[in-house]
Every structure is written in C-alpha cells, then in structure tokens.
C-alpha cells in the first residue's frame, strides 16, 4: 500500500510518495478555506438557524492562529474569518524553551485579547490549544492564569502525541486522503510531529523537539548563517530523526530511499 507523506510548513503542503517522488503542490490557505463537501448557498439557506460558530485558537511557539467557522447540522464546516500573528513565544531561551519572557507573555496576551474580540463578533465559542512552548515552559502557569484573568480564555495544553492526532484529523478533513495510508509531518516552531494513519485511525505518532524557533535559537542565535552552521544543524536533525525514520518505515512496510 503506497504511503503518501504530507509536509506542513508555512503556506504549502508537498504531496510525496514514500520514494520522495514529488506529486503535486497546493496552497494550504486555499485548501483550508474550501469546505468539504462544497457548501452551496442553497444548502446554507436550508440549514439557517442550525449552525454553531466555533473559534479555534492555536497558541503556538512561533505564531498564534485563529480560525472562526460555522458548522451546520450536517457537520459541514465553512470559514468565517482567519487571523495569524507571529510573536515567537518560545524565543530567547537558547533553544530549550524553559522560560517564557515577560515581553513575549505581554505580546501573547494582546494577541489573544484581539482574537477574543474577533470571536465575539461572530458569537463564537472559543477553544484555545497550546503546544510546545507552553507545554515545556516552567512558568507557563503564569501566562495561562494571566490570559484567564484578562480574557476569560481557558488555554488547554496538549501533549505531543495529542498534537499529532489533532493535526491528522485536521488534514483528514481538508485533504482528500480518504482510505490512503498517510504520513503527516507537521513542522512547528518548537516541535515536529510525525503521524501515520488511515481512515482516521492513528498507526504511529511521534513528537520531537525540533522546530523553526528552537533550531534558530540553537544554531543561528546571532543571526549569522554559514555553511558550517547549516551542516551542523542538518546533522543534528538527522540524528534526532534516525529512529523515527526506522519506525515509520516499519509502519509503512516500505523501504526509505
């Protein structure tokens, strides 16, 4: 059974087979804004009054994301608005992300206050999920308590495995993978989740402390990029991923090339 690999980073998804043959490339923003199945105006009128508005907030290491959607009685989701703010919550701790700075917490609070106002204009129920930076920071409780006090938003911290599971479910909805065995690689600011599943069943999940912000702080903290630093960073990533590649290959029943 062919396994497709989806790499998520910034705006694009690369569709690849297990032998690294590039199949196609699509703009993730367009994919995410297209409801599945297509939601027609006639269907919308028929379901008027039976819709629930939900505001989902991703409290990430590199950026905070907001998406406000409506879900009709048939379970069809369509986007009302989206927002994204880059603030690098996990920056400034040398790649270890053990302490959230006062400045980053202040900026994070301002973003969430704005997100709440946007959600309220749509009368949407808010659910906020925090990942790597909040998960690892020793003082994350201070930020969580501050946000609760100032906005009423309850931030939920998810494990790396749960983050991977939620990513897989999101991809399953917006990308037609259907009954294909599929690998999702979600490269975040603080961690990278690797998930393999089929028909919404998770076969393998792994969360590794590898992300854009973390690696920048560890290898390029002075802002100077050299071939030596790039090679050192690549070797570090390969070392971290060696066991993951072996495990995923076994799950996929395929040979990595």
């Amino acid at each position: 059974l062919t396994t497709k690999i989806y790499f998520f980073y910034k705006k694009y998804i690369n569709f690849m087979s297990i032998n690294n043959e590039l199949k196609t490339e699509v703009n993730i923003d367009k994919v995410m804004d297209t409801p599945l199945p297509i939601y027609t105006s006639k269907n919308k009128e028929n379901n008027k009054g039976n819709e629930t508005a939900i505001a989902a907030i991703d409290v990430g290491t590199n950026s905070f994301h907001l998406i406000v959607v409506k879900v009709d009685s048939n379970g069809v989701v369509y986007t009302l608005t989206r927002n994204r703010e880059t603030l690098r919550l996990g920056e400034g701790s040398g790649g270890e992300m053990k302490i959230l700075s006062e400045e980053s917490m202040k900026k994070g609070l301002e973003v969430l206050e704005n997100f709440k106002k946007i959600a309220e204009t749509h009368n949407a129920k808010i659910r906020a999920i925090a990942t790597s930076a909040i998960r690892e920071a020793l003082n994350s409780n201070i930020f969580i308590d501050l946000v609760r006090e100032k906005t009423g938003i309850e931030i939920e911290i998810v494990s790396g495995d749960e983050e991977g599971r939620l990513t897989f479910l999101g991809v399953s909805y917006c990308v037609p993978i259907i009954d294909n065995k599929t690998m999702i690689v979600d490269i975040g600011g603080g961690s990278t989740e690797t998930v393999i599943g089929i028909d919404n069943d998770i076969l393998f999940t792994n969360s590794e402390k590898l992300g854009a912000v973390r690696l920048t702080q560890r290898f390029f903290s002075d802002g100077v990029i050299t071939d030596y630093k790039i090679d050192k960073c690549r070797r570090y990533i390969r070392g971290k991923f060696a066991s993951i590649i072996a495990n995923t290959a076994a799950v996929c029943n395929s040979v990595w090339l």
Side-chain angles (χ1 to χ4, degrees):
L1 184 63
T2 299
T3 303
K4 292 182 179 179
I5 306 176
Y6 291 60
F7 287 93
F8 278 70
Y9 186 68
K10 294 184 177 178
K11 291 187 176 181
Y12 295 95
I13 310 172
N14 287 330
F15 293 63
M16 296 184 180
S17 65
I18 200 69
N19 64 357
N20 296 328
E21 180 186 356
L22 184 63
K23 296 298 183 182
T24 186
E25 188 176 73
V26 296
N27 188 306
I28 184 58
D29 291 336
K30 291 181 179 179
V31 172
M32 291 298 290
D33 287 334
T34 303
L36 300 175
I38 299 300
Y39 193 83
T40 65
S41 58
K42 181 178 181 180
N43 288 335
K44 184 174 181 179
E45 187 64 30
N46 291 339
N47 286 283
K48 193 173 182 179
N50 296 320
E51 301 164 344
T52 301
I54 300 172
I57 299 175
D58 175 6
V59 184
T61 302
N62 182 57
S63 57
F64 288 11
H65 295 254
L66 166 73
I67 181 169
V68 183
V69 303
K70 277 198 173 182
V71 186
D72 71 11
S73 58
N74 295 319
V76 178
V77 177
Y78 57 99
T79 304
L80 298 178
T81 187
R82 298 163 63 89
N83 204 317
R84 177 180 183 272
E85 294 289 343
T86 300
L87 62 151
R88 292 181 174 265
L89 188 66
E91 193 173 53
S93 51
E96 296 303 323
M97 300 188 181
K98 294 299 182 183
I99 299 294
L100 301 178
S101 69
E102 290 187 10
E103 182 64 22
S104 67
M105 286 193 284
K106 179 182 177 181
K107 290 180 180 178
L109 175 61
E110 291 174 354
V111 170
L112 292 175
E113 286 176 332
N114 182 50
F115 281 3
K116 182 183 180 182
K117 292 177 182 177
I118 295 173
E120 287 178 337
T121 63
H122 297 280
N123 195 29
K125 180 180 179 180
I126 298 174
R127 185 174 183 187
I129 301 294
T131 54
S132 184
I134 303 293
R135 188 164 61 227
E136 297 179 39
L138 298 176
N139 62 339
S140 61
N141 62 304
I142 296 176
F143 180 66
I144 292 172
D145 292 343
L146 179 65
V147 171
R148 182 190 301 114
E149 177 186 348
K150 298 296 184 179
T151 70
I153 296 174
E154 292 284 349
I155 296 178
E156 304 173 49
I157 303 176
V158 296
S159 67
D161 286 346
E162 176 64 5
E163 184 179 353
R165 187 187 73 86
L166 293 174
T167 298
F168 189 88
L169 293 178
V171 174
S172 296
Y173 182 83
C174 71
V175 179
I177 56 180
I178 314 299
D179 57 352
N180 292 309
K181 187 188 289 185
T182 305
M183 177 188 292
I184 310 297
V185 182
D186 180 10
I187 306 171
S191 63
T192 292
E193 279 65 48
T194 305
V195 192
I196 300 175
I198 184 171
D199 288 334
N200 288 335
D201 291 329
I202 306 299
L203 306 177
F204 172 87
T205 181
N206 181 85
S207 180
E208 197 67 43
K209 292 181 179 181
L210 294 170
V213 175
R214 190 189 299 274
L215 294 176
T216 298
Q217 290 290 293
R218 188 181 184 96
F219 296 100
F220 311 100
S221 58
D222 58 0
V224 178
I225 300 174
T226 64
D227 290 341
Y228 171 75
K229 289 182 179 179
I230 293 173
D231 182 66
K232 190 175 180 180
C233 181
R234 284 174 173 168
R235 288 177 181 274
Y236 179 78
I237 294 170
R238 289 190 184 106
K240 289 287 188 179
F241 259 89
S243 61
I244 300 173
I245 291 174
N247 291 331
T248 55
V251 174
C252 295
N253 193 28
S254 303
V255 177
W256 285 81
L257 301 178

Tab-separated table of all heavy atoms in Angstrom, residues 14-44:
chain	number	residue	atom	x	y	z
A	14	ASN	N	3.525	19.671	0.581
A	14	ASN	CA	4.090	18.879	-0.504
A	14	ASN	C	3.518	17.479	-0.427
A	14	ASN	O	3.578	16.839	0.618
A	14	ASN	CB	5.625	18.802	-0.404
A	14	ASN	CG	6.275	20.111	-0.770
A	14	ASN	OD1	5.739	20.847	-1.582
A	14	ASN	ND2	7.404	20.405	-0.166
A	15	PHE	N	2.927	17.014	-1.520
A	15	PHE	CA	2.398	15.663	-1.583
A	15	PHE	C	3.506	14.771	-2.126
A	15	PHE	O	3.947	14.944	-3.243
A	15	PHE	CB	1.215	15.583	-2.557
A	15	PHE	CG	0.000	16.336	-2.109
A	15	PHE	CD1	0.039	17.704	-1.957
A	15	PHE	CD2	-1.178	15.669	-1.866
A	15	PHE	CE1	-1.083	18.402	-1.562
A	15	PHE	CE2	-2.312	16.362	-1.468
A	15	PHE	CZ	-2.259	17.742	-1.321
A	16	MET	N	3.967	13.848	-1.304
A	16	MET	CA	5.057	12.980	-1.749
A	16	MET	C	4.722	11.524	-1.474
A	16	MET	O	4.084	11.197	-0.486
A	16	MET	CB	6.359	13.326	-1.017
A	16	MET	CG	6.892	14.719	-1.293
A	16	MET	SD	8.469	14.977	-0.476
A	16	MET	CE	8.819	16.648	-0.994
A	17	SER	N	5.157	10.653	-2.345
A	17	SER	CA	5.059	9.226	-2.069
A	17	SER	C	6.268	8.847	-1.238
A	17	SER	O	7.171	9.645	-1.020
A	17	SER	CB	5.044	8.424	-3.376
A	17	SER	OG	6.271	8.572	-4.043
A	18	ILE	N	6.302	7.634	-0.760
A	18	ILE	CA	7.364	7.216	0.139
A	18	ILE	C	8.731	7.231	-0.520
A	18	ILE	O	9.754	7.341	0.134
A	18	ILE	CB	7.053	5.798	0.684
A	18	ILE	CG1	7.853	5.546	1.981
A	18	ILE	CG2	7.313	4.738	-0.338
A	18	ILE	CD1	7.396	6.361	3.135
A	19	ASN	N	8.783	7.171	-1.838
A	19	ASN	CA	10.079	7.184	-2.522
A	19	ASN	C	10.496	8.592	-2.928
A	19	ASN	O	11.347	8.774	-3.785
A	19	ASN	CB	10.051	6.261	-3.749
A	19	ASN	CG	9.064	6.750	-4.803
A	19	ASN	OD1	8.372	7.744	-4.592
A	19	ASN	ND2	8.999	6.055	-5.922
A	20	ASN	N	9.844	9.592	-2.290
A	20	ASN	CA	10.197	11.002	-2.474
A	20	ASN	C	9.874	11.546	-3.859
A	20	ASN	O	10.371	12.590	-4.248
A	20	ASN	CB	11.694	11.243	-2.190
A	20	ASN	CG	12.039	10.960	-0.755
A	20	ASN	OD1	11.218	11.168	0.126
A	20	ASN	ND2	13.226	10.463	-0.524
A	21	GLU	N	9.046	10.870	-4.618
A	21	GLU	CA	8.658	11.384	-5.930
A	21	GLU	C	7.607	12.469	-5.737
A	21	GLU	O	6.540	12.218	-5.212
A	21	GLU	CB	8.076	10.266	-6.794
A	21	GLU	CG	7.649	10.746	-8.185
A	21	GLU	CD	6.955	9.653	-8.969
A	21	GLU	OE1	6.887	8.521	-8.454
A	21	GLU	OE2	6.471	9.937	-10.062
A	22	LEU	N	7.940	13.686	-6.154
A	22	LEU	CA	7.022	14.804	-5.975
A	22	LEU	C	5.794	14.621	-6.863
A	22	LEU	O	5.899	14.442	-8.056
A	22	LEU	CB	7.721	16.132	-6.333
A	22	LEU	CG	6.909	17.410	-6.109
A	22	LEU	CD1	6.583	17.555	-4.627
A	22	LEU	CD2	7.688	18.624	-6.591
A	23	LYS	N	4.619	14.688	-6.229
A	23	LYS	CA	3.378	14.504	-6.983
A	23	LYS	C	2.756	15.846	-7.372
A	23	LYS	O	2.466	16.097	-8.521
A	23	LYS	CB	2.386	13.699	-6.134
A	23	LYS	CG	2.860	12.271	-5.836
A	23	LYS	CD	3.035	11.471	-7.107
A	23	LYS	CE	3.429	10.050	-6.798
A	23	LYS	NZ	3.647	9.259	-7.995
A	24	THR	N	2.519	16.703	-6.380
A	24	THR	CA	1.892	17.991	-6.676
A	24	THR	C	2.087	18.908	-5.486
A	24	THR	O	2.556	18.505	-4.444
A	24	THR	CB	0.390	17.835	-6.985
A	24	THR	OG1	-0.122	19.100	-7.405
A	24	THR	CG2	-0.390	17.393	-5.757
A	25	GLU	N	1.744	20.157	-5.660
A	25	GLU	CA	1.876	21.122	-4.578
A	25	GLU	C	0.663	22.040	-4.616
A	25	GLU	O	0.232	22.477	-5.662
A	25	GLU	CB	3.159	21.942	-4.747
A	25	GLU	CG	3.477	22.824	-3.566
A	25	GLU	CD	4.805	23.535	-3.731
A	25	GLU	OE1	4.841	24.478	-4.554
A	25	GLU	OE2	5.773	23.157	-3.064
A	26	VAL	N	0.102	22.317	-3.436
A	26	VAL	CA	-1.085	23.165	-3.378
A	26	VAL	C	-0.897	24.213	-2.304
A	26	VAL	O	-0.113	24.051	-1.377
A	26	VAL	CB	-2.357	22.347	-3.063
A	26	VAL	CG1	-2.636	21.365	-4.161
A	26	VAL	CG2	-2.242	21.642	-1.722
A	27	ASN	N	-1.638	25.298	-2.418
A	27	ASN	CA	-1.618	26.355	-1.423
A	27	ASN	C	-2.526	25.968	-0.275
A	27	ASN	O	-3.727	25.810	-0.453
A	27	ASN	CB	-2.099	27.664	-2.060
A	27	ASN	CG	-1.907	28.836	-1.130
A	27	ASN	OD1	-2.362	28.829	0.009
A	27	ASN	ND2	-1.227	29.848	-1.633
A	28	ILE	N	-1.957	25.829	0.925
A	28	ILE	CA	-2.733	25.354	2.071
A	28	ILE	C	-3.832	26.328	2.452
A	28	ILE	O	-4.891	25.941	2.928
A	28	ILE	CB	-1.812	25.079	3.282
A	28	ILE	CG1	-2.611	24.483	4.460
A	28	ILE	CG2	-1.088	26.321	3.724
A	28	ILE	CD1	-3.331	23.218	4.140
A	29	ASP	N	-3.593	27.659	2.239
A	29	ASP	CA	-4.629	28.634	2.561
A	29	ASP	C	-5.895	28.381	1.748
A	29	ASP	O	-7.013	28.470	2.244
A	29	ASP	CB	-4.129	30.052	2.295
A	29	ASP	CG	-3.043	30.455	3.289
A	29	ASP	OD1	-3.021	29.869	4.388
A	29	ASP	OD2	-2.237	31.331	2.965
A	30	LYS	N	-5.719	28.052	0.450
A	30	LYS	CA	-6.876	27.782	-0.400
A	30	LYS	C	-7.573	26.494	0.022
A	30	LYS	O	-8.795	26.397	0.025
A	30	LYS	CB	-6.441	27.690	-1.864
A	30	LYS	CG	-5.981	29.018	-2.447
A	30	LYS	CD	-5.595	28.871	-3.911
A	30	LYS	CE	-5.152	30.212	-4.482
A	30	LYS	NZ	-4.747	30.092	-5.897
A	31	VAL	N	-6.767	25.499	0.386
A	31	VAL	CA	-7.352	24.225	0.823
A	31	VAL	C	-8.177	24.425	2.077
A	31	VAL	O	-9.303	23.947	2.198
A	31	VAL	CB	-6.243	23.185	1.084
A	31	VAL	CG1	-6.825	21.928	1.722
A	31	VAL	CG2	-5.552	22.820	-0.217
A	32	MET	N	-7.610	25.140	3.052
A	32	MET	CA	-8.275	25.318	4.337
A	32	MET	C	-9.551	26.140	4.226
A	32	MET	O	-10.466	25.995	5.020
A	32	MET	CB	-7.315	25.980	5.324
A	32	MET	CG	-6.165	25.091	5.751
A	32	MET	SD	-6.711	23.609	6.626
A	32	MET	CE	-7.277	24.342	8.158
A	33	ASP	N	-9.619	27.038	3.242
A	33	ASP	CA	-10.798	27.883	3.098
A	33	ASP	C	-11.886	27.247	2.248
A	33	ASP	O	-12.944	27.822	2.047
A	33	ASP	CB	-10.410	29.226	2.468
A	33	ASP	CG	-9.658	30.100	3.463
A	33	ASP	OD1	-9.883	29.905	4.669
A	33	ASP	OD2	-8.870	30.949	3.035
A	34	THR	N	-11.647	26.053	1.735
A	34	THR	CA	-12.634	25.364	0.914
A	34	THR	C	-13.316	24.272	1.723
A	34	THR	O	-12.672	23.318	2.145
A	34	THR	CB	-11.981	24.710	-0.321
A	34	THR	OG1	-11.297	25.720	-1.062
A	34	THR	CG2	-13.036	24.059	-1.204
A	35	PRO	N	-14.643	24.413	1.990
A	35	PRO	CA	-15.328	23.392	2.771
A	35	PRO	C	-15.487	22.103	1.984
A	35	PRO	O	-15.593	22.123	0.764
A	35	PRO	CB	-16.694	24.021	3.048
A	35	PRO	CG	-16.891	24.986	1.930
A	35	PRO	CD	-15.517	25.504	1.570
A	36	LEU	N	-15.469	20.997	2.667
A	36	LEU	CA	-15.683	19.688	2.051
A	36	LEU	C	-16.857	19.004	2.730
A	36	LEU	O	-16.829	18.799	3.933
A	36	LEU	CB	-14.426	18.816	2.198
A	36	LEU	CG	-13.156	19.340	1.562
A	36	LEU	CD1	-11.988	18.419	1.902
A	36	LEU	CD2	-13.311	19.449	0.062
A	37	PRO	N	-17.912	18.629	2.022
A	37	PRO	CA	-18.139	18.909	0.605
A	37	PRO	C	-18.442	20.385	0.353
A	37	PRO	O	-18.610	21.131	1.291
A	37	PRO	CB	-19.373	18.047	0.294
A	37	PRO	CG	-20.090	17.970	1.597
A	37	PRO	CD	-19.038	17.905	2.650
A	38	ILE	N	-18.505	20.770	-0.921
A	38	ILE	CA	-18.750	22.163	-1.252
A	38	ILE	C	-20.084	22.617	-0.660
A	38	ILE	O	-21.115	21.962	-0.811
A	38	ILE	CB	-18.768	22.375	-2.778
A	38	ILE	CG1	-17.402	21.991	-3.353
A	38	ILE	CG2	-19.108	23.817	-3.130
A	38	ILE	CD1	-16.248	22.813	-2.792
A	39	TYR	N	-20.049	23.746	0.037
A	39	TYR	CA	-21.228	24.260	0.735
A	39	TYR	C	-21.922	25.280	-0.151
A	39	TYR	O	-21.432	26.388	-0.342
A	39	TYR	CB	-20.781	24.905	2.046
A	39	TYR	CG	-21.902	25.193	3.002
A	39	TYR	CD1	-22.397	24.202	3.838
A	39	TYR	CD2	-22.465	26.463	3.063
A	39	TYR	CE1	-23.409	24.469	4.727
A	39	TYR	CE2	-23.484	26.728	3.943
A	39	TYR	CZ	-23.948	25.738	4.787
A	39	TYR	OH	-24.960	26.021	5.666
A	40	THR	N	-23.034	24.931	-0.716
A	40	THR	CA	-23.740	25.824	-1.641
A	40	THR	C	-24.658	26.772	-0.884
A	40	THR	O	-25.030	26.537	0.259
A	40	THR	CB	-24.602	25.008	-2.625
A	40	THR	OG1	-25.634	24.341	-1.893
A	40	THR	CG2	-23.762	23.977	-3.356
A	41	SER	N	-25.039	27.867	-1.539
A	41	SER	CA	-25.926	28.849	-0.915
A	41	SER	C	-27.281	28.229	-0.594
A	41	SER	O	-27.924	28.570	0.392
A	41	SER	CB	-26.101	30.060	-1.843
A	41	SER	OG	-26.628	29.647	-3.099
A	42	LYS	N	-27.726	27.272	-1.428
A	42	LYS	CA	-28.995	26.606	-1.182
A	42	LYS	C	-28.927	25.791	0.104
A	42	LYS	O	-29.820	25.836	0.945
A	42	LYS	CB	-29.352	25.698	-2.361
A	42	LYS	CG	-30.690	24.977	-2.186
A	42	LYS	CD	-31.007	24.131	-3.409
A	42	LYS	CE	-32.356	23.428	-3.228
A	42	LYS	NZ	-32.682	22.589	-4.410
A	43	ASN	N	-27.812	25.055	0.274
A	43	ASN	CA	-27.633	24.269	1.497
A	43	ASN	C	-27.559	25.175	2.715
A	43	ASN	O	-28.092	24.867	3.768
A	43	ASN	CB	-26.346	23.434	1.418
A	43	ASN	CG	-26.483	22.283	0.444
A	43	ASN	OD1	-27.576	21.814	0.182
A	43	ASN	ND2	-25.344	21.842	-0.096
A	44	LYS	N	-26.896	26.313	2.527
A	44	LYS	CA	-26.748	27.252	3.633
A	44	LYS	C	-28.096	27.773	4.077
A	44	LYS	O	-28.375	27.888	5.270
A	44	LYS	CB	-25.847	28.413	3.198
A	44	LYS	CG	-25.543	29.394	4.318
A	44	LYS	CD	-24.541	30.412	3.842
A	44	LYS	CE	-24.214	31.399	4.965
A	44	LYS	NZ	-23.228	32.401	4.537
